[in-house]
Amino acid sequence: MKILVVGGAGYIGSHMVKKLALTGHEVVTLDNLSRGYEDAVKYGEFVHGNLGDKNLLNTLFSKHRFDAVMHFAAFIEVGESVTEPGMYYHNNVCNTQVLLDAMVSHDIEHFVFSSTAAIFGEPQYTPIDEAHPKNPINPYGRSKLMVEQMLEDYDRAYGLKSTCLRYFNAAGADPEGELGERHNPESHLIPLILQAASGRREAISIFGRDYPTDDGTCVRDYVHINDLCDAHSLALEKMQKSGDSARYNLGNGKGFSVQQVIDAVKRIADNEFKVIHAERRAGDPAVLVADSALAKQALGWTPRFEQLETIIETAWQWEITFFSR
Ligand code: UDP
């Protein structure tokens, strides 16, 4: 197939581009490099541009006959979305709508969308399945839910088929060492701890030790980036065969606390580093764990990186090779 990966220069997108290319697909990446890196696009054609640029999309869609579009190009920082909501609604919602309209006018029928656990808001129960109420508590989560809702309307009106994949905590790196996580500034737990372990950062702060969990720190569901990419490929195949839109929650189904992640990094890096006990971060639920039974059953998805240690090991290899170059 010929697939357009929007946001293919980012963390998840770049791993997806690699997977698609290595499984025999023709891939084109569209990315404006606002958060991504051109050198992360190791396969296929790269187009530098904005997903909200209607003329560019028309040119691209006239030049290539795409079978599907995968969309990873969004701003993802919860805190930033609270202080800069306009930026989030503009990029994550308005620009996505321009992309969808261009797809409709060029008869591209299949869309895979990077959604997020943030659409659920404060968990009412755990693990979180697809039926869980959707009450996002920040502009980031709301922007993603708006696109999910827009997609339902576009399916009904224009027959655009979509699969929304709600990631819990994407983690790890390409086991072959070619790609990894490179957010700037970095805000995610695992890369920050790895920076502390490698000496690129002085310390890691634990945001809150008074949560109602076993050790008082927040529990999250870390899912390996390659497992997420597998789910995208399976979801696209399934959607093309069935002709139906779908939504799936993607996680490992196992929760690990911030303290457990820090302890695992200490074991893997065989290193001690400074840990600071900081205040809670606003908007953090105590526990976020996915129920991915539907994805497993409907897509035949089997996460291959089930152990937290294995996930962290891939990210640690990236940290000590890429950043010491
Ligand atoms: N966290 C932390 N210190 C940090 C960064 C994150 O204690 O420097 C915690 C955060 O409060 C959350 C968990 O680690 O409970 C995962 O945060 P991350 O930002 O990686 O992902 P999120 O769960 O917000 O999507």
Side-chain angles (χ1 to χ4, degrees), residues 61-279:
F61 290 164
S62 306
K63 182 174 167 203
H64 298 278
R65 175 75 232 142
F66 290 112
D67 297 289
V69 174
M70 292 187 175
H71 178 23
F72 299 88
F75 294 139
I76 58 161
E77 297 296 330
V78 168
E80 186 183 54
S81 81
V82 175
T83 51
E84 302 285 348
M87 207 173 109
Y88 274 68
Y89 290 120
H90 182 71
N91 188 49
N92 295 5
V93 182
C94 303
N95 284 345
T96 300
Q97 195 222 334
V98 175
L99 173 66
L100 297 181
D101 284 344
M103 286 181 65
V104 169
S105 62
H106 288 266
D107 296 321
I108 304 169
E109 287 171 4
H110 297 109
F111 187 69
V112 184
F113 179 58
S114 290
S115 190
T116 167
I119 65 162
F120 296 109
E122 197 59 47
Q124 311 287 304
Y125 56 84
T126 188
I128 297 177
D129 60 10
E130 287 75 9
H132 187 283
K134 290 153 199 80
N135 296 309
I137 54 171
N138 50 59
Y140 168 60
R142 278 192 278 278
S143 73
K144 290 284 183 171
L145 182 58
M146 283 176 191
V147 174
E148 287 208 10
Q149 291 166 333
M150 202 152 75
L151 286 169
E152 284 174 29
D153 294 332
Y154 272 57
D155 184 358
R156 223 170 282 125
Y158 310 124
L160 176 72
K161 300 297 165 195
S162 63
T163 301
C164 297
L165 299 173
R166 290 102 174 225
Y167 318 146
F168 279 61
N169 289 60
D174 171 24
E176 291 168 2
E178 208 178 9
L179 301 164
E181 197 164 1
R182 263 199 275 173
H183 293 116
N184 189 17
E186 187 54 75
S187 71
H188 293 107
L189 181 68
I190 293 179
L192 288 174
I193 305 175
L194 296 176
Q195 289 179 12
S198 71
R200 286 205 297 135
R201 160 177 301 272
E202 259 189 43
I204 181 72
S205 295
I206 299 183
F207 296 149
R209 297 193 64 96
D210 55 352
Y211 284 96
T213 59
D214 287 349
D215 61 22
T217 65
C218 286
V219 169
R220 293 289 180 274
D221 181 333
Y222 298 92
V223 53
H224 194 271
I225 188 100
N226 279 22
D227 286 328
L228 289 181
C229 292
D230 287 353
H232 284 71
S233 298
L234 292 166
L236 178 57
E237 270 171 40
K238 165 95 179 169
M239 176 165 56
Q240 287 177 322
K241 276 194 200 123
S242 69
D244 293 328
S245 290
R247 279 98 186 85
Y248 303 105
N249 294 357
L250 298 181
N252 244 319
K254 271 194 293 258
F256 293 94
S257 71
V258 172
Q259 185 64 59
Q260 285 176 312
V261 178
I262 291 175
D263 293 343
V265 172
K266 285 186 174 172
R267 283 194 298 276
I268 290 162
D270 194 17
N271 207 345
E272 279 297 321
F273 45 86
K274 197 168 158 197
V275 178
I276 295 169
H277 295 170
E279 291 298 303

